[in-house]
Amino acid sequence: MDYMNKSLLNSVGLSYGELSLKGKNRGQFEKMLKNKINKALSGYEFKLNDDLSKLYVDIKSEDMEKVIEKLKKVFGIVGLNPSVKVDRNDEIIKEKVLEIVNFAYENGARTFKVAVNRSNKGFEKKSMDYAKELGAHILVNSPFEQVKMKEPDIQINVDIRKNVYIYTEKIKTYGGLPIGSTGKGLVLLSGGIDSPVASFLMAKRGMRINFVTFHSFPFTSKQALEKIKELTEILSIYTGKSRLYAVNILKIQEAINTKTKKELATILTRRAMMRLAEKLANSMQYQALITGESLGQVASQTLGGLTCTNASVEKLPVFRPLIGADKTEIIEIAKEIGTYEKSIEPHEDSCVIFAPKHPVTNPKLEDVLNEEKRIENYDELLEEVFSEKEYFNIG
Ligand code: ATP
Ligand code: MG
């Protein structure tokens, strides 16, 4: 329970743990982060206030809740402190602190603690001394009777910089790194639960993301593609603007079905998707492929299946951020980021339509390669399908 009087809040402090470890890159990361914040908050009246190496976003109190929701989704920020910004003046600080604690008391808080952080050594009082002084001031001038060092009902943090920021709440956010700071990755996005979560995780790790989806129109419907577009729309809250490529692989699936063993169809299709995705990534200087695969989840994701899929990629690294995650863990993240409800809407899946009744559960690469050789002019067929791709700009 936070007892802060929301109408007093006029600034949000940002902490960014991992970025501060980056030494001389710090400046560059900060610049990126500021850029992202400016984008995320466009439409709001705000001022990015770099106060002695801590970023504060000064805003109107009525925008606080919405601005916090936006800032929560900016990767690179680990925590937010909704704050009351005041001038660096002892009397003003004391007055504001009393206002804050009186409101908290009225709302049920009975124990408190004061913590002072003094980055500005120009402020004449030392942190510990000033914390005691403020504590005494509260005990004398407010109904509070009890200081409690461990788990008080309300902790008054006073951050002394050029200005002074008083806050009681620390909101934990995703962390990660600013988008674009670690490279560019192409996600193979299906309509399921997993690949949107994989997208989120790699975006959180600072990757700029584009998407590719494979369909078998007219065997899969236009609505199935619409669903994928809607998923990328939801993801764009985190990824920013992106592009969704759609490739119709029906011709490839027909070739696989007529020329190769039924029970290898899924793995051969998956290999084709990877080859097309690598082609696409190369054509736009994307440096990695990303999938929602998780070890052992289905027949094509056994170690044998993954070996066969993986071997179809020539050079790019394939990132599988969910490889060690259980379905329940994946679902938890999907719910948290808002993709779950969309993912579970029914849709036809281009793999499922041609899926064999009895897929090989642990295919051997050698067998798969031999089967694949039966498709004549396979490279040309892939090239043809690739050239017919469409794309949609999202976000
Ligand atoms: P998801 O929940 O992401 O659909 P899944 O558990 O259904 O995954 P599979 O269908 O085996 O697993 O797919 C594994 C991965 O292959 C997906 O996470 C995705 O990255 C990629 N993939 C599968 N089908 C498609 C498709 N039609 N278009 C693009 N990528 C796909
Ligand atoms: Mg799927």
Side-chain angles (χ1 to χ4, degrees):
M1 169 80 191
D2 182 44
Y3 293 102
M4 178 57 100
N5 180 349
K6 303 278 187 282
S7 69
L8 298 177
L9 298 170
N10 57 0
S11 189
V12 188
L14 313 180
S15 27
Y16 32 94
E18 197 159 357
L19 292 193
S20 55
L21 302 174
K22 295 274 173 188
K24 56 181 187 252
N25 285 335
R26 184 186 166 110
Q28 202 191 333
F29 275 99
E30 263 180 346
K31 219 169 117 188
M32 276 189 169
L33 191 61
K34 285 180 188 172
N35 221 319
K36 303 298 170 202
I37 293 167
N38 281 324
K39 270 199 193 136
L41 298 186
S42 73
Y44 289 93
E45 224 178 279
F46 70 99
K47 193 172 165 288
L48 248 182
N49 157 17
D50 196 338
D51 195 340
L52 303 180
S53 297
K54 177 155 176 168
L55 275 182
Y56 276 89
V57 183
D58 298 343
I59 50 167
K60 294 190 288 193
S61 32
E62 57 265 36
D63 290 339
M64 183 57 75
E65 231 166 282
K66 284 183 184 144
V67 163
I68 284 181
E69 278 316 301
K70 295 276 179 196
L71 289 174
K72 272 185 183 172
K73 299 183 174 87
V74 176
F75 296 133
I77 300 173
V78 298
L80 300 171
N81 310 122
S83 307
V84 183
K85 178 184 175 185
V86 294
D87 287 343
R88 204 182 70 227
N89 169 299
D90 180 45
E91 256 174 58
I92 295 177
I93 296 169
K94 283 187 175 140
E95 197 179 304
K96 201 53 90 175
V97 163
L98 278 189
E99 209 178 327
I100 291 168
V101 297
N102 281 330
F103 179 90
Y105 193 90
E106 277 165 31
N107 286 282
R110 289 296 175 267
T111 57
F112 77 96
K113 169 186 173 179
V114 179
V116 174
N117 168 51
R118 185 182 60 141
S119 300
N120 187 343
K121 305 294 176 213
F123 190 74
E124 59 285 356
K125 296 172 183 175
K126 288 191 176 151
S127 305
M128 286 296 274
D129 298 342
Y130 197 49
K132 278 185 199 149
E133 187 178 327
L134 286 174
H137 185 72
I138 292 169
L139 288 172
V140 172
N141 297 292
S142 83
F144 274 97
E145 290 172 354
Q146 202 189 346
V147 175
K148 194 169 169 225
M149 296 317 277
K150 261 195 185 160
E151 296 180 22
D153 292 339
I154 183 169
Q155 175 162 335
I156 316 289
N157 300 284
V158 181
D159 188 16
I160 301 172
R161 295 174 184 271
K162 276 191 227 150
N163 295 285
V164 173
Y165 307 83
I166 308 167
Y167 61 87
T168 58
E169 193 186 8
K170 298 180 186 181
I171 301 171
K172 205 168 162 287
T173 49
Y174 292 124
L177 296 165
I179 300 253
S181 64
T182 58
K184 297 191 262 188
L186 179 65
V187 176
L188 287 84
L189 188 72
S190 64
I193 296 167
D194 304 333
S195 39
V197 173
S199 314
F200 166 81
L201 290 174
M202 294 319 295
K204 169 162 124 68
R205 218 40 223 159
M207 291 206 102
R208 172 153 303 292
I209 300 289
N210 270 353
F211 303 94
V212 61
T213 191
F214 301 98
H215 62 89
S216 326
F217 187 77
F219 285 84
T220 57
S221 64
K222 287 278 177 223
Q223 287 92 298
L225 183 55
E226 277 311 307
K227 177 184 167 180
I228 313 270
K229 281 194 212 166
E230 285 161 18
L231 273 172
T232 50
E233 267 317 324
I234 299 171
L235 287 167
S236 73
I237 299 171
Y238 309 96
T239 61
K241 283 189 177 41
S242 61
R243 186 171 271 191
L244 167 68
Y245 288 86
V247 183
N248 189 339
I249 53 168
L250 183 58
K251 287 175 192 164
I252 292 172
Q253 289 173 302
E254 282 167 349
I256 290 172
N257 264 27
T258 50
K259 303 277 166 52
T260 68
K261 281 188 196 149
K262 289 268 170 296
E263 60 271 25
L264 290 179
T266 306
I267 211 75
L268 287 170
T269 310
R270 196 45 57 69
R271 281 173 57 85
M273 289 182 182
M274 293 301 248
R275 285 178 70 177
L276 290 163
E278 187 174 31
K279 235 185 231 293
L280 181 59
N282 286 335
S283 76
M284 53 187 194
Q285 280 90 50
Y286 268 51
Q287 304 138 312
L289 301 180
I290 297 159
T291 75
E293 288 158 316
S294 163
L295 186 62
Q297 202 187 76
V298 287
S300 56
Q301 295 175 28
T302 56
L303 194 48
L306 289 167
T307 303
C308 295
T309 313
N310 203 55
S312 64
V313 181
E314 265 176 44
K315 290 212 178 83
L316 294 184
V318 180
F319 294 153
R320 300 177 172 90
L322 304 180
I323 199 69
D326 294 348
K327 199 75 187 185
T328 50
E329 295 171 305
I330 300 170
I331 288 173
E332 205 174 300
I333 302 175
K335 285 184 176 165
E336 155 75 28
I337 64 174
T339 53
Y340 182 72
E341 293 301 324
K342 183 55 66 184
S343 286
I344 59 172
E345 283 178 12
H347 71 286
E348 321 92 19
D349 184 312
S350 108
C351 288
V352 173
I353 285 184
F354 290 93
K357 282 210 181 63
H358 306 287
V360 177
T361 48
N362 228 341
K364 292 205 174 50
L365 182 57
E366 207 187 330
D367 299 344
V368 169
L369 291 176
N370 282 333
E371 279 308 296
E372 209 169 70
K373 282 196 198 112
R374 292 161 171 270
I375 307 171
E376 303 122 42
N377 305 324
Y378 198 28
D379 290 348
E380 285 80 358
L381 182 58
L382 284 166
E383 195 54 55
E384 183 188 333
V385 160
F386 182 73
S387 70
E388 288 163 3
K389 64 188 175 299
E390 316 165 84
Y391 67 80
F392 311 93
N393 292 327
I394 309 283

